[in-house]
Amino acid sequence: GDTLIVDASNGLVILNPDAAQLMEYRQFQARMAAVETTLGEIAHLPAMTLDGTPITVQANIEFPHEIPIALQKGATGIGLYRTEFLYLASEQAPSEEQQFAAICEASRMLEGRPLTIRTLDLGADKLARWAEADALGVVPEANPFLGARSIRLCLQNLPLFKTQLRAILRASTQANLRIMFPMISSVMELRQARMVLADVMEDLEEEATPFKHDIPVGIMVEVPSAALQATTLARDADFFSIGTNDLIQYTVAVDRGNERIASLYTGAHPAVLKLIKETVRAAQRARTDVSLCGEMGGDPLFLPVLLGMGLRSVSIAPPAIPEAKRIIRSVTLAQCQRMARKVLSLDTDREVTNFVTDQMQRLVPDAFHRRSIEP
């Protein structure tokens, strides 16, 4: 019988609010409804800064059926297709034909728009029910986030890996595809993954099965070692996608699912920001495409800072796209660059957050209505 206000925007739950709080939040709901209407109008406008710099805004998805929603929200393509969710939703490892069909379905819905497919990222907090009993031989690990996951798991289970790569390559003839390897932590891992891909290509050639030979191959930069070796990795990768969700947790040694230390998990940490900046700089020097596909890319506070660091492409959750476009269309590149320079000179995450909050409340006050509610 209790009344609750669940304020997800501010991370608050208010138990049995008084009359004043109820009125305040009902007014807040009305404002949010008006904002949603405005954002719906912005969704299909170009993502371009006030001084004319175009920004690519794509979407992250887990299943092909999410693509129509992403396009409705204004995505220009799919910057991250998390293929592991097909495995997680299955009672057994999906066959080559099942994976081929899913990729073709995604391609059909995109009608020629870009589709970046991340290879299998199982392990840690994402483990299929059948994996332990299956040929994967997955066993419990004391620290699974630092264990046999993602590209490591694939390189230890080549039949599984090759089956997925065959499906992707076969689908490449009817799609605008790119292949992306997750959790690359060394140059040798990238080279090993590319060797497996080359083997699969050779097999398909012998079978006279058509595929695109020049399909771009990139990596997720989501561990500090990859960010620090970005210059070297750029020689073997066609593109980078910075995965800030894992990059934050590995840089600051915080399990992002642990509520006891959740306050320590923040992209505002100066070390995280410097790793992002160095990765972007290394990519620019090598003329390697670089994007960002973590939640930071859809955060109104940090998106301008990322643009100021040199990023010109983000891939984010579909619901975040309209607001990201509003932020992009409300700032100049010069303002973003000034913010980035200042942020990179600060010493603590609190200083960073306070500074960017103050700046964005000045530049785009309407975008920060949600932070005005106090419990």
Side-chain angles (χ1 to χ4, degrees):
D2 288 325
T3 298
L4 297 179
I5 292 177
V6 181
D7 177 1
S9 296
N10 288 296
L12 298 174
V13 174
I14 302 175
L15 176 63
N16 291 321
D18 58 30
Q21 288 173 317
L22 278 172
M23 180 178 294
E24 184 178 19
Y25 269 92
R26 283 173 179 149
Q27 292 172 346
F28 181 54
Q29 281 183 312
R31 292 200 305 274
M32 287 294 290
V35 168
E36 288 298 321
T37 300
T38 301
L39 290 178
E41 297 169 353
I42 291 174
H44 295 287
L45 296 176
M48 183 177 292
T49 62
L50 285 174
D51 48 359
T53 302
I55 307 298
T56 300
V57 181
Q58 298 184 328
N60 302 334
I61 63 165
E62 296 165 5
F63 296 100
H65 65 74
E66 297 173 271
I67 289 176
I69 298 171
L71 298 180
Q72 181 185 355
K73 292 294 184 180
T76 59
I78 302 302
L80 172 59
Y81 179 10
R82 299 182 175 104
T83 57
E84 61 273 9
F85 284 89
L86 181 61
Y87 290 74
L88 293 170
S90 303
E91 294 296 330
Q92 58 186 7
S95 67
E96 178 182 328
E97 291 305 319
Q98 287 174 310
Q99 296 182 68
F100 173 73
I103 298 168
C104 289
E105 180 186 4
S107 174
R108 178 183 58 80
M109 291 180 176
L110 285 169
E111 299 180 334
R113 297 177 181 88
L115 173 61
T116 300
I117 299 180
R118 182 175 72 183
T119 58
L120 191 57
D121 188 20
L122 280 181
D125 57 341
K126 291 179 290 188
L127 192 58
R129 294 185 296 273
W130 46 264
E132 188 168 346
D134 196 79
L136 289 183
V138 173
V139 297
E141 296 178 291
N143 196 338
F145 283 95
L146 300 180
R149 58 169 297 201
S150 303
I151 196 65
R152 300 169 182 175
L153 187 68
C154 289
L155 292 175
Q156 292 174 9
N157 295 273
L158 292 183
L160 184 85
F161 194 25
K162 287 186 174 183
T163 296
Q164 182 178 45
L165 292 176
R166 283 180 60 91
I168 296 171
L169 287 172
R170 286 175 53 205
S172 67
T173 59
Q174 48 190 296
N176 183 4
L177 286 186
R178 303 196 306 176
I179 296 175
M180 182 163 65
F181 298 129
M183 203 181 166
I184 293 293
S185 60
S186 70
V187 176
M188 284 305 300
E189 277 182 338
L190 173 56
R191 291 176 181 171
Q192 287 172 341
R194 294 202 71 138
M195 285 176 62
V196 176
L197 180 64
D199 288 344
V200 173
M201 287 181 169
E202 187 175 333
D203 291 341
L204 291 175
E205 285 178 339
E206 292 176 357
E207 299 168 11
T209 301
F211 66 93
K212 282 185 181 177
H213 290 71
D214 59 349
I215 186 168
V217 178
I219 66 168
M220 293 279 289
V221 176
E222 50 191 339
V223 297
S225 61
L228 292 169
Q229 271 206 300
T231 298
T232 304
L233 287 164
R235 299 173 193 153
D236 290 87
D238 297 320
F239 65 91
F240 290 159
S241 186
I242 303 172
T244 52
N245 297 355
D246 269 338
L247 183 62
I248 295 168
Q249 103 169 327
Y250 287 126
T251 301
V252 300
V254 172
D255 176 1
R256 55 192 170 108
N258 186 336
E259 62 185 35
R260 294 178 61 189
I261 51 175
S263 62
L264 301 178
Y265 178 86
T266 172
H269 194 292
V272 174
L273 295 169
K274 287 174 183 176
L275 287 176
I276 294 172
K277 174 60 179 176
E278 289 307 310
T279 301
V280 173
R281 180 180 295 172
Q284 290 174 334
R285 288 173 176 168
R287 297 185 178 180
T288 299
D289 287 343
V290 58
S291 182
L292 186 143
C293 62
E295 292 179 13
M296 276 185 73
D299 189 325
L301 277 180
F302 291 102
L303 179 54
V305 173
L306 297 172
L307 301 182
M309 290 181 179
L311 275 167
R312 298 293 178 267
S313 176
V314 295
S315 186
I316 56 182
I321 291 174
E323 188 166 22
K325 284 193 172 184
R326 176 168 66 164
I327 296 297
I328 292 167
R329 293 172 58 85
S330 301
V331 297
T332 67
L333 192 59
Q335 290 169 335
C336 295
Q337 290 169 338
R338 284 196 295 271
M339 287 178 63
R341 283 195 296 270
K342 177 63 176 179
V343 159
L344 290 168
S345 72
L346 299 175
D347 297 329
T348 69
D349 59 285
R350 179 168 294 185
E351 289 176 326
V352 170
T353 301
N354 289 342
F355 172 74
V356 294
T357 300
D358 177 70
Q359 291 296 303
M360 293 308 295
Q361 284 177 337
R362 295 170 187 269
L363 295 173
V364 198
D366 289 346
F368 297 92
H369 49 76
R370 66 189 61 184
R371 291 174 173 81
S372 65
I373 295 290
E374 295 295 336

